[in-house]
Amino acid sequence: MNKILDPINRFIKSSNSGSFLLLFTTALALLVANSPWSAMYHDLLKSEFTFGFIHNGFELTEPFYLWINDGLMAIFFFHVGLEIKREILDGELSSIRKASLPVVAALGGVIIPIIIYLSMASTPELKSGWGVPMATDIAFSLGVLKLFGKRVPLGLKVFLTAFAIVDDLAAVVVIGVFYVTDINLMLILYSAVILLIMVILGMKKYFSKFIFFPLSVVVWILFLKSGIHPTIAGVLLAFTIPATRTTTLDGFFEKIKTSLKRFSEEREHIRTHHILKEEHVHAAIDIRMASESINSPLQKIEHDLHPWIVFFIMPVFAFANAGVTLTSDSEINFGLAVPIAVALILGKFIGISLASWLAIKARIANLPEGVSFKHILGAALLGGLGFTMSLFIANLAFTDEVLLSSAKVGILGGSLLSGILGYLVIRSLVKITKAKEE
């Protein structure tokens, strides 16, 4: 049995496993969408599912793909919000000195692709897709870097992660401000009151999942019905989670020391008996509770959610959104696909590298330790891996099936080429570094 499970466990623990799974589900979606099962695939995504309460008449009916894009992706955005809050409080965005280079790089990587896209989009109906090429997919871009292991500087991985997170924050703002329908202000007011209550509880360092999660569902429903995309609720809810510990470090050490003392006093009994004494059971529970209390709610939830995001939500989203049917009869609007691909490849590369160069020359930012500007060029190419966020914004920007499929072709093509070019540049730098060391 271990021979079967060990490779699976090693795959799950691998830092690249999430990227490989995302790539696999993307390829699977394309394969199914261009197979005899294509009609079944599209029919499944459009099938309506209803959730609700029979007795009081409340119900939500949405197509399956919207339950994924509005529901599961709200959890994804909640996780993104937790990452942003952590980085702002105690990470690479916690000070001007740390944040200057990735923030400037991210802004360049947002503005230039938008300019390139708008300059190439020929008709008014295509202009609404300007937000599609603006964000970087963290999973794919970091996955490419991690293929090189320790052969790339840690500072480059930190830089890529930081500017991708800022990218995501910009995308969240764009979605919340520009990709909204008619807004029901009364529902927004109700959700604002609930969010305010949650913020106050967080400021009081109080957190209970039995209060937080039911209120989160209510806020999500209110956003869904209000006209503002419900994924924005996920980000806002993340910022209500307390980032402070419920116990002090001294208190943690004292609890652990006291509990371990109970075990050490009767080590022989524990060694020779399968059943623990009652006090030992309580000591083990105290250790577990102390270990949980040393983590802030923010860190604990982010850690617990991570495998669900990587191994379930993102692959399901990719499978539901990457399936483009390409046949001789397919209508692909290359006036849309090409601008998106060019904006991802050239726009991201020019925007990130140029903004980084200007920030360094102006001395408002420094290169991370061990990182050369050639490394930044490689990371700038990887920034064109838009995928998850780009697909998401495309679903908001285009309702026409032909335009949406065309946008997906541009996203997949641009992301693929950006990933390959970024990989080749980083690999050449690794080879040069290795040759110098030898």
Side-chain angles (χ1 to χ4, degrees):
M1 191 66 175
N2 287 337
K3 289 182 179 180
I4 299 173
L5 294 178
D6 285 349
I8 297 173
N9 289 330
R10 284 197 299 271
F11 172 78
I12 291 173
K13 292 177 181 178
S14 167
S15 58
N16 293 322
S17 54
S19 303
F20 288 136
L21 185 58
L22 196 56
L23 184 61
F24 171 76
T25 50
T26 302
L28 182 62
L30 286 168
L31 182 65
V32 172
N34 292 277
S35 72
W37 299 290
S38 175
M40 188 185 302
Y41 167 78
H42 290 293
D43 288 343
L44 172 64
L45 293 176
K46 293 176 182 177
S47 299
E48 290 192 340
F49 289 82
T50 299
F51 286 83
F53 304 99
I54 297 173
H55 295 296
N56 63 8
F58 172 79
E59 62 179 36
L60 285 173
T61 301
E62 299 281 353
F64 185 47
Y65 78 93
L66 282 184
W67 282 113
I68 294 169
N69 291 359
D70 293 349
L72 288 183
M73 287 303 284
I75 302 173
F76 169 81
F77 274 79
F78 175 68
H79 192 259
V80 168
L82 293 175
E83 289 180 331
I84 293 170
K85 183 172 181 177
R86 173 175 48 78
E87 290 294 328
I88 291 173
L89 291 176
D90 192 26
E92 293 305 310
L93 305 177
S94 60
S95 68
I96 295 176
R97 180 176 169 275
K98 286 182 178 181
S100 54
L101 186 61
V103 167
V104 171
L107 291 176
V110 167
I111 295 169
I112 300 301
I114 292 174
I115 292 173
I116 289 177
Y117 176 83
L118 289 175
S119 67
M120 294 181 69
S122 56
T123 61
E125 65 178 350
L126 304 183
K127 299 292 185 182
S128 62
W130 61 268
V132 173
M134 63 178 288
T136 298
D137 189 286
I138 298 177
F140 268 139
S141 55
L142 271 183
V144 173
L145 268 192
K146 288 177 180 178
L147 291 173
F148 299 100
K150 295 181 179 179
R151 291 174 292 171
V152 295
L154 176 61
L156 185 63
K157 296 176 184 177
V158 172
F159 167 74
L160 180 59
T161 303
F163 89 66
I165 287 174
V166 177
D167 253 354
D168 283 349
L169 180 58
V172 168
V173 172
V174 165
I175 292 168
V177 175
F178 297 100
Y179 291 100
V180 294
T181 54
D182 295 332
I183 297 176
N184 186 319
L185 292 177
M186 188 57 66
L187 294 181
I188 292 298
L189 180 61
Y190 293 152
S191 60
V193 171
I194 297 173
L195 285 167
L196 180 60
I197 292 170
M198 296 170 77
V199 167
I200 293 171
L201 290 174
M203 291 174 66
K204 297 290 184 180
K205 301 180 182 179
Y206 177 81
F207 176 81
S208 169
K209 59 185 178 182
F210 300 107
I211 294 176
F212 175 81
F213 291 111
L215 289 179
S216 297
V217 173
V218 173
V219 171
W220 177 81
I221 293 172
L222 289 172
F223 267 74
L224 182 67
K225 295 294 187 179
S226 71
I228 294 181
H229 202 275
T231 52
I232 302 301
V235 178
L236 295 176
L237 287 165
F239 277 81
T240 69
I241 303 294
T244 51
R245 304 186 187 103
T246 57
T247 187
T248 63
L249 199 58
D250 289 339
F252 168 74
F253 285 134
E254 190 60 38
K255 287 180 182 177
I256 294 293
K257 194 192 318 181
T258 302
S259 299
L260 288 176
K261 187 178 179 181
R262 293 189 215 169
F263 281 100
S264 61
E265 287 173 349
E266 296 190 57
R267 188 176 299 176
E268 265 321 300
H269 173 85
I270 296 171
R271 186 179 288 128
T272 56
H273 290 74
H274 294 293
I275 305 300
L276 293 175
K277 290 183 177 180
E278 191 69 22
E279 59 263 31
H280 298 144
V281 173
H282 287 299
I285 293 172
D286 288 343
I287 291 173
R288 177 175 59 80
M289 292 180 67
S291 300
E292 289 180 355
S293 65
I294 199 64
N295 268 332
S296 67
L298 184 146
Q299 283 184 296
K300 187 177 186 310
I301 295 173
E302 183 185 356
H303 179 269
D304 291 345
L305 267 183
H306 184 262
W308 287 98
I309 298 294
V310 171
F311 297 111
F312 179 66
I313 291 177
M314 290 181 69
V316 168
F317 173 80
F319 184 75
N321 288 273
V324 183
T325 302
L326 300 171
T327 66
S328 57
D329 299 327
S330 299
E331 291 184 61
I332 299 298
N333 187 328
F334 288 100
L336 173 60
V338 173
I340 288 176
V342 172
L344 282 171
I345 301 165
L346 283 181
K348 278 291 184 181
F349 174 70
I350 294 171
I352 294 167
S353 55
L354 179 61
S356 298
W357 182 81
L358 290 173
I360 293 165
K361 286 296 180 182
R363 296 185 178 181
I364 62 175
N366 297 316
L367 283 169
E369 186 177 349
V371 175
S372 69
F373 192 73
K374 290 179 180 178
H375 285 113
I376 299 295
L377 296 178
L381 284 167
L382 292 180
L385 274 159
F387 197 71
T388 305
M389 199 68 81
S390 294
L391 287 173
F392 185 79
I393 296 175
N395 277 282
L396 300 178
F398 302 110
T399 55
D400 181 83
E401 289 292 334
V402 173
L403 293 182
L404 182 56
S405 295
S406 303
K408 290 179 180 181
V409 169
I411 293 165
L412 294 172
S415 295
L416 178 62
L417 193 51
S418 292
I420 292 172
L421 291 173
Y423 172 82
L424 291 175
V425 169
I426 300 295
R427 189 180 70 168
S428 67
L429 292 174
V430 167
K431 284 184 176 180
I432 292 170
T433 303
K434 187 177 179 182
K436 286 180 180 179
E437 290 175 353
E438 292 174 351

PDB file of all heavy atoms in Angstrom, residues 73 167 368 418:
ATOM      1  N   MET A  73     -14.698  30.523  -7.043  1.00  0.00           N
ATOM      2  CA  MET A  73     -13.694  31.577  -7.225  1.00  0.00           C
ATOM      3  C   MET A  73     -13.786  32.656  -6.148  1.00  0.00           C
ATOM      4  O   MET A  73     -12.819  33.389  -5.922  1.00  0.00           O
ATOM      5  CB  MET A  73     -13.826  32.193  -8.617  1.00  0.00           C
ATOM      6  CG  MET A  73     -13.330  31.275  -9.730  1.00  0.00           C
ATOM      7  SD  MET A  73     -11.612  30.744  -9.528  1.00  0.00           S
ATOM      8  CE  MET A  73     -10.744  32.235 -10.005  1.00  0.00           C
ATOM      9  N   ASP A 167      -0.326  42.647  -8.698  1.00  0.00           N
ATOM     10  CA  ASP A 167      -1.128  42.451  -9.917  1.00  0.00           C
ATOM     11  C   ASP A 167      -2.548  42.028  -9.579  1.00  0.00           C
ATOM     12  O   ASP A 167      -3.529  42.563 -10.115  1.00  0.00           O
ATOM     13  CB  ASP A 167      -0.495  41.333 -10.758  1.00  0.00           C
ATOM     14  CG  ASP A 167       0.195  41.881 -12.000  1.00  0.00           C
ATOM     15  OD1 ASP A 167       0.072  43.074 -12.247  1.00  0.00           O
ATOM     16  OD2 ASP A 167       0.850  41.105 -12.699  1.00  0.00           O
ATOM     17  N   PRO A 368      16.903  42.889  -5.744  1.00  0.00           N
ATOM     18  CA  PRO A 368      17.047  41.956  -4.614  1.00  0.00           C
ATOM     19  C   PRO A 368      18.441  41.317  -4.616  1.00  0.00           C
ATOM     20  O   PRO A 368      19.102  41.242  -5.654  1.00  0.00           O
ATOM     21  CB  PRO A 368      15.964  40.901  -4.897  1.00  0.00           C
ATOM     22  CG  PRO A 368      14.995  41.572  -5.805  1.00  0.00           C
ATOM     23  CD  PRO A 368      15.803  42.523  -6.641  1.00  0.00           C
ATOM     24  N   SER A 418       4.589  33.094 -23.396  1.00  0.00           N
ATOM     25  CA  SER A 418       5.286  33.820 -22.319  1.00  0.00           C
ATOM     26  C   SER A 418       6.014  32.858 -21.394  1.00  0.00           C
ATOM     27  O   SER A 418       7.164  33.102 -20.999  1.00  0.00           O
ATOM     28  CB  SER A 418       4.286  34.656 -21.511  1.00  0.00           C
ATOM     29  OG  SER A 418       3.760  35.709 -22.264  1.00  0.00           O
TER      30      SER A 418
END
